[in-house]
Amino acid sequence: MSSNLRPKRELPWRPRSLQARQMLAASLGLVAFLALAGYALDRAFVDVASQGQRDRLRGFALNYAGDVEFARDDNIIPPEAPPDERFERPGSGTYAVVVAETSVWMSGSAHGPTLPESELLEPGQERIDGPIAIIDSAGRPGEVIRYGRGFALVREIGGVESELPYTVYILEDAGTLPRQVQVFRQALWRYLGVSGVILLMLQALVLRWSLRPLRNVIAELKRVQRGQANRMGELHPRELEPLTDSINALIESERQNLEHQRNTMSDLAHSLKTPLAVLHARLEAGAGDDELRAELAIQLRRMNDLVGYQLGRAASSGHKLFSAPVEIEPYAEELVRGLEKIYAAQGVICEFDLDAEARFHGEPGDLQELLGNLLENAFKWAKRRVLLTVRPSAPQPDRRPGLVIAVDDDGAGIAPDRIAHVLQRGVRGDERVHGHGIGLAIVQDIIRSYRGELHVGRSEELGGARFEVVLPPGL
C-alpha cells in the first residue's frame, strides 16, 4: 500500500535567532569600527609624530643657529650651552653638526660615532634625509634621521659687509620615532581591546533588553497555546502591536468559528424540534392515516427546508444585501397551524394584525426562524391568547421601508431585571419548562445580521410579555 505522505525533510541548518543575528551583526560592525578607528588613530599618530620630529629638529637647528659665532679666521666658535642636554651626552642618539666653508663643529654627543659627511646648503635651504646609516661609538651599525638648514651670517670687516654661509645639521636616532609609535600602538590596541570587550558586553545587555518585548510575546503565545490565557496582552511596543493584534484577531476568529459551528448545530436541533413536536402531537391525537400522511409530508418538507437553511447559515455570514421582498402571512399561518396542534391542550389562539404592505426583505429561512422562535416562545408561556403584529416602519427617502414585528402573549411576562438573563444562549425563563434556551439566541443572531434591534417588555394589550423586532430601512 503506497502513501502520498512524504517524511519531513530535515534542514542541514537552522536559521539563527534574531538575537544571534543582531549580536553577530553588531559585533562585526563594532570590530570593524574599532579596527578602522585604530588604523585611523595609528596613521594620525604616525603623521603627527613625524611632523613633531621634524618640528623638534627644526627647533634645535634654529636654536643652534642663533648661537653660532665665527672667529676672525672664520672658524666656528662652539655654542656656550646646547638646547638639550642630550647633545652633550655620548651615545644619546642626538647629534648636532655645524658646517662652514672652512670648518666643521660637532656637539659632544657626536664625538665617537662615525656620522655621514655633511655638505653646505644654500642660505634658507631646508632638507631632511633618512634613515642614513652610521656607526655608533660602540662600533655597531645604526641609522639616523638628519635635518639640515642653511644660514648666512652677515658681518662687517673694514667697513665692508660680507656673508658667511653655514649649515646646521641635527641628527637623531632613526629608532626614536618607531619606538614612540610602538609604545602608542601597544597602548592604543590594549585600550581599544578593553573598550571592545566592554562595548560587546554592554551591547549584549542592550540587545537582551531591547528583545525582551519579543520574548514576552513568545511567552504569551505559549500560554495561549497551553490554554493558560485566552488572548495576547495589550501592552506591547508599537512595532509589535500589528503582530499581537493579528494574533488576537486570529484567535478571536477561530473562537468565533468554533462558537458558530456549535451554535449552528444547536440551532438546527432547535429548529427541528417544532416539526417533530407537531408529528408527535398528531400521533398522540390518533389522527387517521391520510391525515397523518399529509401532516408528515408537510413537516418533512419543512425539516428539509430547515436543514438547508441552517447549512446555508453555517457556510455564510450575514444576509444578502439585495433580497426580494417576502410576504409574511403565508409563513405565519403555516407556523401557527403547527403550534396550535402542539399546544392544543392549552387552547391557545393566535391573532394576526398584519399590514398588507409589510414585507420582509431577506432570506425566507431567516423569516421562518424569526417568526417560529418568537411565536413558539409566546405559545409556550401564553394562557389563552397570542398576538402577532407586523407593520412597516417609518419610511425614509430613497430607501425601502423597514419592518416591525411584535409578538404579545397574555402570560406572566418577564421581570425587567430578568430580561438580560433570559436572552442569553442556553438560559430558560423557567427551568421547570421543557426547552433548550436557544430560541431567543437564534432570534438575536438573525436580528443582529440585519442590523436590527430586539426590545423586550410588558404587553400593554395582553398583559404578558412583548417581543418587538425592529429592522431598519434598507437600500
Side-chain angles (χ1 to χ4, degrees), residues 394-471:
Q396 294 185 10
D398 301 326
R399 287 180 175 269
R400 57 174 170 78
L403 187 66
V404 177
I405 301 175
V407 176
D408 299 72
D409 64 69
D410 60 350
I414 305 174
D417 59 347
R418 292 275 299 167
I419 292 176
H421 179 70
V422 170
L423 293 179
Q424 295 179 12
R425 178 177 287 270
V427 175
R428 288 178 285 172
D430 190 341
E431 297 296 331
R432 296 170 298 180
V433 179
H434 178 71
H436 299 88
I438 62 174
L440 294 179
I442 297 174
V443 170
Q444 292 182 92
D445 290 342
I446 296 174
I447 294 173
R448 193 178 299 113
S449 69
Y450 284 85
R451 300 182 299 279
E453 297 177 354
L454 174 64
H455 303 287
V456 182
R458 180 164 291 277
S459 173
E460 296 181 359
E461 184 172 350
L462 300 184
R466 177 181 175 88
F467 289 81
E468 183 180 79
V469 177
V470 179
L471 302 181

Coordinates of all heavy atoms in Angstrom, one line a residue, residues 394-471:
A394 N -41.3 53.6 9.9 CA -41.4 54.9 9.2 C -40.5 54.9 8.0 O -39.3 54.6 8.1 CB -41.0 56.0 10.2
P395 N -41.1 55.3 6.9 CA -40.3 55.3 5.6 C -39.2 56.4 5.6 O -39.4 57.4 6.3 CB -41.3 55.6 4.5 CG -42.4 56.3 5.2 CD -42.5 55.8 6.6
Q396 N -38.1 56.2 4.9 CA -37.1 57.2 4.7 C -36.9 57.4 3.2 O -37.1 56.5 2.4 CB -35.8 56.7 5.3 CG -35.8 56.6 6.8 CD -34.5 56.3 7.4 OE1 -33.5 56.3 6.8 NE2 -34.5 56.0 8.7
P397 N -36.5 58.6 2.8 CA -36.4 58.9 1.3 C -35.3 58.0 0.7 O -34.3 57.7 1.2 CB -35.9 60.4 1.3 CG -36.3 60.9 2.6 CD -36.3 59.8 3.6
D398 N -35.7 57.5 -0.5 CA -34.8 56.7 -1.3 C -34.4 55.4 -0.6 O -33.3 54.8 -1.0 CB -33.5 57.5 -1.7 CG -33.9 58.7 -2.5 OD1 -34.9 58.7 -3.3 OD2 -33.2 59.8 -2.3
R399 N -35.1 54.9 0.3 CA -34.8 53.6 1.0 C -36.1 52.8 1.0 O -37.2 53.3 1.2 CB -34.3 53.8 2.4 CG -32.8 54.4 2.4 CD -32.3 54.6 3.8 NE -30.9 55.0 3.8 CZ -29.9 54.1 3.9 NH1 -30.2 52.8 4.0 NH2 -28.7 54.6 3.9
R400 N -35.9 51.5 0.9 CA -37.1 50.6 1.1 C -37.4 50.6 2.6 O -36.6 50.8 3.5 CB -36.7 49.2 0.6 CG -35.6 48.5 1.3 CD -35.5 47.1 0.8 NE -34.2 46.4 1.2 CZ -33.9 46.0 2.5 NH1 -34.8 46.1 3.4 NH2 -32.8 45.4 2.7
P401 N -38.7 50.4 2.9 CA -39.2 50.5 4.3 C -38.6 49.4 5.2 O -38.3 48.3 4.7 CB -40.7 50.4 4.2 CG -40.9 49.7 2.9 CD -39.8 50.1 2.0
G402 N -38.5 49.8 6.4 CA -38.1 48.8 7.4 C -39.3 48.0 7.9 O -40.3 48.0 7.2
L403 N -39.1 47.2 8.9 CA -40.2 46.3 9.4 C -40.2 46.2 10.9 O -39.1 46.2 11.5 CB -39.9 44.9 8.8 CG -41.0 43.9 9.0 CD1 -42.3 44.3 8.2 CD2 -40.6 42.5 8.5
V404 N -41.4 46.2 11.4 CA -41.6 46.0 12.9 C -42.4 44.7 13.1 O -43.6 44.7 12.6 CB -42.2 47.2 13.5 CG1 -42.5 46.9 15.0 CG2 -41.4 48.4 13.3
I405 N -41.9 43.8 13.8 CA -42.6 42.5 14.1 C -42.7 42.4 15.6 O -41.7 42.5 16.3 CB -41.9 41.3 13.6 CG1 -41.7 41.4 12.0 CG2 -42.6 40.0 13.9 CD1 -40.9 40.2 11.5
A406 N -44.0 42.3 16.1 CA -44.2 42.2 17.5 C -45.0 41.0 17.9 O -46.0 40.7 17.2 CB -44.9 43.5 18.1
V407 N -44.6 40.3 18.9 CA -45.4 39.1 19.4 C -45.7 39.3 20.8 O -44.8 39.5 21.7 CB -44.6 37.8 19.2 CG1 -45.3 36.6 19.8 CG2 -44.2 37.6 17.7
D408 N -47.0 39.4 21.2 CA -47.5 39.6 22.5 C -48.2 38.3 23.0 O -48.8 37.5 22.2 CB -48.5 40.7 22.6 CG -47.9 42.1 22.1 OD1 -47.6 42.2 20.9 OD2 -47.6 42.9 23.0
D409 N -48.1 38.1 24.3 CA -48.9 37.0 24.9 C -49.5 37.4 26.2 O -49.2 38.5 26.7 CB -48.0 35.8 25.1 CG -46.9 36.0 26.1 OD1 -47.2 36.2 27.3 OD2 -45.7 36.1 25.7
D410 N -50.4 36.6 26.7 CA -51.1 37.0 28.0 C -50.6 36.2 29.2 O -51.3 35.9 30.1 CB -52.6 36.8 27.8 CG -53.0 35.3 27.5 OD1 -52.1 34.5 27.2 OD2 -54.2 35.0 27.6
G411 N -49.3 35.8 29.1 CA -48.7 35.0 30.2 C -48.3 35.9 31.3 O -48.7 37.0 31.5
A412 N -47.4 35.3 32.1 CA -46.9 36.0 33.3 C -46.0 37.2 33.0 O -45.7 38.0 33.9 CB -46.2 35.0 34.3
G413 N -45.4 37.2 31.8 CA -44.4 38.2 31.5 C -43.0 38.0 32.1 O -42.8 36.9 32.7
I414 N -42.1 38.9 31.8 CA -40.8 38.8 32.3 C -40.4 40.0 33.1 O -40.6 41.1 32.7 CB -39.8 38.7 31.1 CG1 -40.2 37.5 30.1 CG2 -38.3 38.5 31.5 CD1 -39.3 37.4 28.9
A415 N -39.9 39.7 34.3 CA -39.5 40.9 35.1 C -38.3 41.6 34.5 O -37.5 41.0 33.8 CB -39.0 40.3 36.5
P416 N -38.3 43.0 34.6 CA -37.3 43.8 33.9 C -35.9 43.3 34.3 O -35.0 43.4 33.4 CB -37.6 45.2 34.4 CG -39.0 45.2 34.7 CD -39.3 43.8 35.3
D417 N -35.6 42.9 35.5 CA -34.3 42.6 35.9 C -33.9 41.2 35.4 O -32.8 40.7 35.6 CB -34.1 42.6 37.4 CG -35.1 41.7 38.1 OD1 -36.1 41.3 37.5 OD2 -34.9 41.5 39.3
R418 N -34.8 40.5 34.8 CA -34.6 39.1 34.3 C -34.4 39.1 32.7 O -34.1 38.0 32.2 CB -35.7 38.2 34.7 CG -35.8 37.9 36.1 CD -34.9 36.7 36.6 NE -35.3 35.5 35.8 CZ -34.5 34.4 35.8 NH1 -33.3 34.4 36.4 NH2 -34.9 33.3 35.2
I419 N -34.7 40.2 32.1 CA -34.7 40.2 30.6 C -33.3 39.9 30.0 O -33.2 39.0 29.2 CB -35.2 41.6 30.1 CG1 -36.7 41.8 30.4 CG2 -35.0 41.7 28.6 CD1 -37.2 43.1 30.1
A420 N -32.3 40.5 30.5 CA -30.9 40.3 30.0 C -30.5 38.8 30.3 O -29.8 38.2 29.4 CB -29.9 41.2 30.7
H421 N -30.9 38.3 31.4 CA -30.6 36.9 31.7 C -31.3 35.9 30.8 O -30.7 34.9 30.3 CB -30.9 36.6 33.2 CG -30.6 35.2 33.6 ND1 -29.3 34.7 33.7 CD2 -31.4 34.2 33.9 CE1 -29.4 33.5 34.1 NE2 -30.6 33.1 34.2
V422 N -32.5 36.2 30.5 CA -33.3 35.3 29.6 C -32.8 35.3 28.2 O -32.9 34.2 27.5 CB -34.8 35.7 29.7 CG1 -35.6 34.9 28.7 CG2 -35.4 35.4 31.1
L423 N -32.3 36.4 27.8 CA -31.8 36.5 26.4 C -30.5 35.8 26.1 O -30.1 35.7 25.0 CB -31.7 38.0 26.0 CG -33.0 38.7 25.9 CD1 -32.8 40.2 25.5 CD2 -34.0 38.1 24.9
Q424 N -29.8 35.3 27.2 CA -28.6 34.6 27.0 C -28.8 33.2 26.4 O -29.8 32.6 26.7 CB -27.8 34.5 28.3 CG -27.4 35.8 28.9 CD -26.7 35.6 30.2 OE1 -26.3 34.5 30.6 NE2 -26.5 36.7 30.9
R425 N -27.8 32.8 25.6 CA -28.0 31.4 24.9 C -27.9 30.4 26.0 O -27.0 30.4 26.9 CB -26.8 31.3 23.9 CG -26.8 29.9 23.3 CD -25.8 29.8 22.2 NE -26.1 30.6 21.0 CZ -26.8 30.1 20.0 NH1 -27.2 28.8 20.0 NH2 -27.0 30.9 19.0
G426 N -28.8 29.4 25.9 CA -28.8 28.3 26.8 C -29.5 28.5 28.1 O -29.6 27.7 29.0
V427 N -30.1 29.7 28.3 CA -30.8 30.1 29.5 C -32.3 30.0 29.3 O -32.8 30.6 28.3 CB -30.4 31.5 30.0 CG1 -31.3 31.9 31.2 CG2 -29.0 31.5 30.4
R428 N -33.1 29.3 30.2 CA -34.5 29.2 30.1 C -35.2 30.1 31.1 O -34.6 30.3 32.2 CB -35.0 27.8 30.3 CG -34.6 26.9 29.1 CD -35.1 25.4 29.4 NE -34.2 24.8 30.4 CZ -34.4 23.6 30.9 NH1 -35.5 23.0 30.6 NH2 -33.6 23.1 31.8
G429 N -36.3 30.7 30.7 CA -37.0 31.6 31.7 C -37.5 30.8 32.9 O -37.5 31.4 34.0
D430 N -37.8 29.5 32.8 CA -38.2 28.7 33.9 C -37.6 27.3 33.7 O -37.9 26.7 32.7 CB -39.7 28.7 34.0 CG -40.2 28.0 35.3 OD1 -39.4 27.3 35.9 OD2 -41.4 28.2 35.7
E431 N -36.8 26.9 34.6 CA -36.1 25.6 34.4 C -37.1 24.4 34.4 O -36.8 23.3 34.0 CB -35.0 25.4 35.5 CG -33.9 26.4 35.4 CD -33.1 26.3 34.2 OE1 -33.0 25.1 33.6 OE2 -32.5 27.3 33.7
R432 N -38.3 24.7 34.9 CA -39.3 23.6 35.0 C -39.9 23.4 33.7 O -40.6 22.3 33.4 CB -40.3 23.9 36.0 CG -39.8 24.0 37.5 CD -40.8 24.5 38.4 NE -41.2 25.9 38.1 CZ -42.1 26.7 38.8 NH1 -42.7 26.1 39.8 NH2 -42.3 27.9 38.4
V433 N -39.8 24.3 32.8 CA -40.5 24.2 31.4 C -39.5 23.6 30.5 O -38.3 24.0 30.4 CB -40.9 25.6 31.0 CG1 -41.6 25.5 29.6 CG2 -41.9 26.2 32.0
H434 N -39.9 22.7 29.7 CA -39.1 21.9 28.8 C -38.6 22.9 27.7 O -39.3 23.7 27.2 CB -39.8 20.8 28.1 CG -39.0 20.0 27.1 ND1 -38.0 19.2 27.5 CD2 -39.1 20.0 25.7 CE1 -37.4 18.7 26.4 NE2 -38.1 19.2 25.3
G435 N -37.3 22.8 27.3 CA -36.7 23.6 26.2 C -35.2 23.6 26.3 O -34.6 23.0 27.3
H436 N -34.6 24.2 25.4 CA -33.1 24.3 25.3 C -32.6 25.7 25.6 O -31.4 25.8 25.8 CB -32.6 23.8 23.9 CG -33.0 22.4 23.6 ND1 -34.2 22.1 23.0 CD2 -32.4 21.2 23.8 CE1 -34.3 20.8 22.8 NE2 -33.2 20.2 23.3
G437 N -33.4 26.7 25.6 CA -32.9 28.0 25.9 C -32.1 28.7 24.8 O -31.3 29.5 25.1
I438 N -32.3 28.3 23.6 CA -31.5 28.9 22.5 C -32.4 29.6 21.5 O -31.9 30.2 20.5 CB -30.6 27.8 21.8 CG1 -31.5 26.7 21.1 CG2 -29.6 27.2 22.8 CD1 -30.7 25.8 20.3
G439 N -33.7 29.5 21.6 CA -34.6 30.1 20.6 C -34.4 31.6 20.5 O -34.3 32.1 19.4
L440 N -34.4 32.3 21.7 CA -34.2 33.7 21.6 C -32.8 34.1 21.2 O -32.6 35.2 20.6 CB -34.5 34.3 23.0 CG -36.0 34.2 23.5 CD1 -36.2 34.7 24.9 CD2 -36.9 34.9 22.5
A441 N -31.8 33.2 21.5 CA -30.5 33.5 21.0 C -30.4 33.4 19.5 O -29.7 34.3 18.8 CB -29.5 32.5 21.6
I442 N -31.1 32.5 18.8 CA -31.2 32.4 17.4 C -31.9 33.7 16.9 O -31.4 34.3 15.9 CB -32.0 31.2 16.9 CG1 -31.3 29.9 17.4 CG2 -32.3 31.2 15.4 CD1 -32.1 28.7 17.1
V443 N -32.9 34.2 17.5 CA -33.6 35.4 17.1 C -32.6 36.6 17.1 O -32.6 37.4 16.2 CB -34.8 35.7 18.0 CG1 -35.4 37.1 17.8 CG2 -35.9 34.6 17.8
Q444 N -31.8 36.7 18.2 CA -30.9 37.8 18.3 C -29.8 37.7 17.2 O -29.4 38.7 16.7 CB -30.2 37.8 19.7 CG -31.2 38.1 20.8 CD -30.5 38.1 22.2 OE1 -30.0 39.1 22.6 NE2 -30.4 37.0 22.8
D445 N -29.4 36.5 16.9 CA -28.4 36.4 15.8 C -28.9 36.9 14.5 O -28.2 37.6 13.8 CB -27.9 34.9 15.7 CG -27.1 34.4 16.9 OD1 -26.6 35.3 17.6 OD2 -27.0 33.2 17.1
I446 N -30.1 36.5 14.2 CA -30.7 36.9 12.9 C -30.9 38.4 12.9 O -30.6 39.1 11.9 CB -32.1 36.2 12.7 CG1 -31.8 34.7 12.6 CG2 -32.8 36.7 11.5 CD1 -33.1 33.8 12.5
I447 N -31.4 39.0 14.0 CA -31.7 40.4 14.1 C -30.4 41.2 14.0 O -30.3 42.2 13.3 CB -32.4 40.8 15.4 CG1 -33.8 40.2 15.4 CG2 -32.5 42.3 15.6 CD1 -34.5 40.3 16.7
R448 N -29.3 40.7 14.6 CA -28.0 41.3 14.5 C -27.5 41.3 13.1 O -26.9 42.3 12.7 CB -27.1 40.6 15.5 CG -25.8 41.4 15.7 CD -24.9 40.6 16.7 NE -25.5 40.5 18.0 CZ -25.9 39.3 18.5 NH1 -25.7 38.2 17.8 NH2 -26.5 39.2 19.7
S449 N -27.7 40.2 12.4 CA -27.2 40.1 11.0 C -27.9 41.1 10.1 O -27.4 41.5 9.1 CB -27.4 38.7 10.5 OG -28.8 38.4 10.3
Y450 N -29.2 41.6 10.5 CA -29.9 42.6 9.7 C -29.8 44.0 10.3 O -30.5 44.9 9.9 CB -31.4 42.2 9.6 CG -31.7 41.0 8.7 CD1 -31.5 39.7 9.1 CD2 -32.1 41.3 7.4 CE1 -31.8 38.7 8.2 CE2 -32.3 40.3 6.5 CZ -32.2 38.9 6.9 OH -32.4 37.9 6.0
R451 N -28.8 44.1 11.3 CA -28.6 45.4 11.9 C -29.9 45.9 12.6 O -30.1 47.1 12.7 CB -28.0 46.4 10.9 CG -26.7 46.0 10.3 CD -26.2 47.1 9.4 NE -27.1 47.4 8.3 CZ -27.2 46.6 7.2 NH1 -26.4 45.6 7.0 NH2 -28.0 47.0 6.2
G452 N -30.7 45.0 13.1 CA -31.9 45.4 13.7 C -31.8 45.4 15.3 O -30.7 45.3 15.8
E453 N -32.9 45.6 15.9 CA -32.9 45.7 17.4 C -34.1 44.8 17.9 O -35.1 44.7 17.3 CB -33.1 47.1 17.8 CG -32.0 48.1 17.4 CD -32.3 49.5 17.9 OE1 -33.4 49.8 18.4 OE2 -31.4 50.4 17.7
L454 N -33.9 44.3 19.1 CA -34.9 43.5 19.8 C -35.2 44.2 21.1 O -34.4 44.5 21.9 CB -34.4 42.1 20.1 CG -35.3 41.2 20.9 CD1 -36.6 40.9 20.2 CD2 -34.6 39.9 21.3
H455 N -36.5 44.5 21.3 CA -37.0 45.1 22.5 C -37.9 44.2 23.2 O -38.9 43.6 22.7 CB -37.8 46.4 22.2 CG -36.9 47.4 21.4 ND1 -35.9 48.1 21.9 CD2 -37.0 47.8 20.1 CE1 -35.4 48.9 21.0 NE2 -36.0 48.7 19.9
V456 N -37.6 44.0 24.5 CA -38.4 43.0 25.3 C -39.0 43.8 26.5 O -38.4 44.6 27.2 CB -37.6 41.9 25.9 CG1 -38.4 40.9 26.7 CG2 -36.9 41.2 24.7
G457 N -40.3 43.7 26.7 CA -41.0 44.4 27.7 C -42.4 43.7 28.0 O -42.6 42.6 27.7
R458 N -43.2 44.5 28.7 CA -44.6 44.0 29.0 C -45.6 44.5 28.0 O -45.5 45.6 27.5 CB -45.0 44.6 30.4 CG -46.4 44.1 30.8 CD -46.6 44.3 32.3 NE -45.8 43.4 33.1 CZ -46.1 42.1 33.3 NH1 -47.2 41.6 32.9 NH2 -45.3 41.4 34.0
S459 N -46.5 43.6 27.6 CA -47.5 43.9 26.6 C -48.6 44.7 27.2 O -49.3 44.3 28.2 CB -48.1 42.6 26.1 OG -49.2 42.8 25.2
E460 N -48.9 45.9 26.7 CA -49.9 46.7 27.2 C -51.3 46.2 26.8 O -52.3 46.4 27.5 CB -49.8 48.1 26.6 CG -48.5 48.8 27.0 CD -48.4 50.2 26.5 OE1 -49.3 50.6 25.7 OE2 -47.4 50.9 26.8
E461 N -51.4 45.4 25.7 CA -52.7 44.9 25.3 C -53.1 43.6 25.9 O -54.3 43.5 26.4 CB -52.7 44.8 23.7 CG -54.1 44.3 23.2 CD -54.1 44.4 21.7 OE1 -53.1 44.9 21.1 OE2 -55.0 43.9 21.1
L462 N -52.1 42.7 26.1 CA -52.5 41.4 26.6 C -51.9 41.2 28.0 O -52.3 40.2 28.7 CB -51.9 40.3 25.7 CG -52.4 40.3 24.3 CD1 -51.8 39.1 23.5 CD2 -53.9 40.3 24.2
G463 N -51.0 42.0 28.5 CA -50.6 42.0 29.9 C -49.4 41.0 30.1 O -48.9 41.0 31.2
G464 N -49.0 40.3 29.1 CA -47.9 39.3 29.3 C -46.6 40.0 28.8 O -46.3 41.1 28.9
A465 N -45.8 39.1 28.1 CA -44.5 39.6 27.5 C -44.7 40.1 26.1 O -45.6 39.7 25.4 CB -43.5 38.5 27.5
R466 N -43.9 41.0 25.7 CA -43.9 41.6 24.3 C -42.5 41.6 23.8 O -41.6 42.1 24.4 CB -44.5 43.0 24.3 CG -44.4 43.6 22.9 CD -45.0 45.1 23.0 NE -44.9 45.7 21.7 CZ -45.8 45.7 20.7 NH1 -46.9 45.0 20.9 NH2 -45.6 46.4 19.6
F467 N -42.3 40.9 22.7 CA -41.1 40.9 22.0 C -41.2 41.6 20.7 O -42.1 41.2 19.8 CB -40.6 39.4 21.6 CG -40.2 38.7 22.9 CD1 -41.1 38.1 23.7 CD2 -38.9 38.5 23.2 CE1 -40.7 37.4 24.8 CE2 -38.5 37.8 24.3 CZ -39.4 37.2 25.1
E468 N -40.5 42.7 20.5 CA -40.6 43.6 19.3 C -39.3 43.6 18.6 O -38.3 44.0 19.1 CB -41.1 45.0 19.8 CG -41.3 45.9 18.6 CD -41.7 47.3 19.0 OE1 -40.8 48.1 19.4 OE2 -42.9 47.6 19.0
V469 N -39.4 43.3 17.3 CA -38.2 43.3 16.4 C -38.3 44.5 15.5 O -39.4 44.7 14.8 CB -38.1 42.0 15.6 CG1 -36.9 42.0 14.7 CG2 -38.0 40.8 16.5
V470 N -37.3 45.3 15.4 CA -37.3 46.5 14.6 C -36.1 46.3 13.6 O -35.0 46.3 14.0 CB -37.1 47.8 15.4 CG1 -37.1 49.0 14.5 CG2 -38.2 47.9 16.4
L471 N -36.5 46.2 12.3 CA -35.5 46.1 11.3 C -35.4 47.4 10.5 O -36.4 47.9 10.1 CB -35.8 44.9 10.3 CG -36.0 43.5 10.9 CD1 -36.3 42.5 9.8 CD2 -34.7 43.1 11.6

